[in-house]
Amino acid sequence: MTTVVIGAGIIGTAIAYELQKRGRQVVLLDRGEVGGGASYGNMASIAVTEFMPASRPSIWKQIPGWMLDPEGPVRVRPGYMPKLIPWFARFVAASRPSRLRQIEAEGAALCKRVYDDLLPLLKETGLEGELTAEGCLSLYTDEAELSADRDHIEILDRFDFPYRRLTGAEARELEPELSKDIGIAVLFPENRSLRDPFRLVNGLAQRFTALGGDIRRGDVTGLDRSDRITAVRLAGGEPVLADEVVICAGAHSGLLSGMLGEPMPLETERGYHTQIMSPGISMRHSIIWPARAFMVTPTAGGIRVGGTVEMAGLDAAPDYRRSKITVRRAQTALPKLRCEDFTEWMGHRPAFPDTVPVMSASAKVPGVYYATGHGHLGVTYAATTARLMGDLITGRAPPVDMRPYRIDRF
């Protein structure tokens, strides 16, 4: 039985490996290089505490002000606003108290499983060295800033995720380069980092091919079907015959589901990072500063700074002013941070309005499955998604109730 996995990011590569291991003959297909999209530029964080709904009122009520601020953490390009209205209406609908509680539970159910699935995957593939032991520090100037982030802490208490409050001095014992303006920090010990997320994806792809998996490049132009899926058509090439197709093409997944008459309300949250190879400082932990909306991670041989969201669709040119904003903010936390020998990057994170991924069989076409919409948690959820999709596709009972993640929930 041939399974074609469309999308060679961390989600698709992990699923391809899992299915090949379980006896499927898998073709991993992408129009670009393995791990070359959002998996290349993510913030390298296994962010198990970051499952809070983005639609909670404390966030969406700030969005109008953010959009008027050219340096705000969320930016919507004016010309794209009309296209975003239906998605944003669903986003606001997901802020109802009863729905928020459901979304929290759906995210927590996945995050609770992360290390149960990730650690065995890394061990069996010999990639354990890609995961660091250090956690993440969340920074606050004072009690007022910490209070503004209280809904985050309350959610962690509700689902029993560990954290530890630190004074500014204690935080600087862990990371001496932190500014003395930091009065309080919260350590999330389970939010460990990757030494290089691009290297991780490619290492996993090598293990996949060693098992007999096939990696191909091609631009999908259509999906053939009769009473079920039969082939994936490629631009300028022979179709790839398929008994099953798994669509996990990130922010591009909606274009593919549309070919099957199964539209999904998927948007791209365009993310930016700056990879600094000569930062002038060293770090062990990742850091976030919620009030200033940035993250810094030591990864890929340097220090990576990111944390902004731009809504502008799949085709608009990058606006690297977004990267420069986050670097300036990072330097308020790390005064000695130098931005030398650096590159800037923009990529597309796939986002559903309720911030819950789809991991599901198609509701319309037998043999088609979806795994997309992981938002900021693609690398966090990758091993768990592979385990759950492997069970779903091969007919085993997944260890998690999969109904909340179905494609026809919208």
Side-chain angles (χ1 to χ4, degrees):
M1 177 173 283
T2 299
T3 304
V4 178
V5 176
I6 304 176
I10 184 61
I11 297 292
T13 304
I15 291 172
Y17 170 82
E18 182 71 20
L19 291 174
Q20 188 73 25
K21 184 178 71 172
R22 295 192 189 203
R24 293 293 202 266
Q25 182 55 50
V26 181
V27 177
L28 179 59
L29 178 64
D30 201 295
R31 63 182 181 181
E33 66 177 320
V34 172
S39 296
Y40 173 84
N42 66 67
M43 289 304 296
S45 176
I46 306 300
V48 297
T49 65
E50 303 307 302
F51 59 88
M52 310 85 64
S55 57
R56 60 194 191 276
S58 63
I59 296 296
W60 69 257
K61 288 180 179 179
Q62 298 180 72
I63 289 177
W66 287 341
M67 289 191 297
L68 294 173
D69 179 359
E71 296 194 358
V74 177
R75 179 69 173 163
V76 179
R77 293 201 187 179
Y80 196 69
M81 178 62 77
K83 296 181 181 179
L84 193 60
I85 289 173
W87 186 93
F88 190 70
R90 291 178 182 267
F91 179 83
V92 173
S95 69
R96 301 190 310 273
S98 60
R99 182 62 184 128
L100 283 176
R101 290 293 180 263
Q102 291 172 348
I103 294 170
E104 291 168 6
E106 291 157 11
L110 299 180
C111 282
K112 283 287 187 182
R113 283 203 57 84
V114 163
Y115 287 109
D116 291 339
D117 299 314
L118 177 61
L119 295 180
L121 175 64
L122 295 178
K123 183 176 181 179
E124 73 187 43
T125 55
L127 296 168
E128 309 103 305
E130 292 298 327
L131 183 66
T132 70
E134 285 75 24
C136 177
L137 290 166
S138 187
L139 310 179
Y140 308 91
T141 303
D142 52 27
E143 290 287 350
E145 273 193 7
L146 179 60
S147 178
D149 200 32
R150 66 183 181 278
D151 55 348
H152 184 189
I153 304 301
E154 288 170 356
I155 288 171
L156 300 185
D157 284 334
R158 195 151 56 245
F159 292 98
D160 197 28
F161 283 85
Y163 64 88
R164 181 160 59 95
R165 177 173 165 154
L166 306 173
T167 65
E170 289 170 332
R172 282 183 286 277
E173 288 179 7
L174 296 177
E175 289 296 337
E177 299 295 346
L178 287 176
S179 166
K180 289 184 171 54
D181 291 337
I182 304 303
I184 304 168
V186 175
L187 174 65
F188 303 131
E190 293 187 349
N191 284 19
R192 298 161 67 181
S193 299
L194 298 173
R195 300 191 191 283
D196 189 328
F198 181 63
R199 190 171 62 205
L200 173 65
V201 181
N202 279 272
L204 192 55
Q206 290 170 12
R207 277 54 171 190
F208 163 68
T209 56
L211 292 175
D214 183 9
I215 298 176
R216 302 187 196 178
R217 289 184 70 164
D219 196 359
V220 177
T221 59
L223 298 163
D224 292 340
R225 51 179 166 152
S226 52
D227 58 337
R228 61 180 291 117
I229 198 72
T230 58
V232 178
R233 282 184 277 123
L234 304 178
E238 291 293 320
V240 182
L241 300 181
D243 299 293
E244 300 165 330
V245 170
V246 187
I247 294 174
C248 41
H252 299 271
S253 299
L255 302 176
L256 299 174
S257 73
M259 295 177 183
L260 297 171
E262 195 164 27
M264 57 176 70
L266 188 67
E267 265 296 339
T268 169
E269 291 185 6
R270 294 152 56 101
Y272 291 82
H273 86 219
T274 302
Q275 179 72 29
I276 306 172
M277 302 309 291
S278 298
I281 62 171
S282 62
M283 298 175 61
R284 293 173 55 234
H285 300 75
S286 60
I287 63 170
I288 56 176
W289 196 335
R292 303 193 184 186
F294 69 82
M295 182 172 190
V296 183
T297 308
T299 192
I303 284 177
R304 182 169 295 179
V305 181
T308 187
V309 169
E310 181 185 47
M311 310 296 280
L314 290 168
D315 300 321
D319 178 1
Y320 287 117
R321 291 176 296 181
R322 308 294 300 166
S323 300
K324 293 174 177 57
I325 290 166
T326 53
V327 169
R328 289 200 304 270
R329 290 180 176 173
Q331 288 170 328
T332 65
L334 302 163
K336 295 181 182 178
L337 174 64
R338 298 199 305 263
C339 191
E340 298 177 1
D341 185 16
F342 68 92
T343 56
E344 295 174 324
W345 173 91
M346 187 277 291
H348 298 280
R349 295 180 294 238
F352 286 115
D354 59 3
T355 66
V356 176
V358 161
M359 298 179 290
S360 167
S362 167
K364 293 191 175 183
V365 183
V368 172
Y369 299 86
Y370 299 103
T372 190
H374 296 74
H376 297 247
L377 296 176
V379 70
T380 302
Y381 286 157
T384 295
T385 297
R387 162 71 190 278
L388 297 176
M389 294 302 296
D391 286 346
L392 190 66
I393 293 166
T394 61
R396 300 181 189 177
V400 169
D401 180 3
M402 298 298 287
R403 287 174 295 180
Y405 315 106
R406 65 190 187 279
I407 181 65
D408 58 351
R409 72 175 186 261
F410 298 105

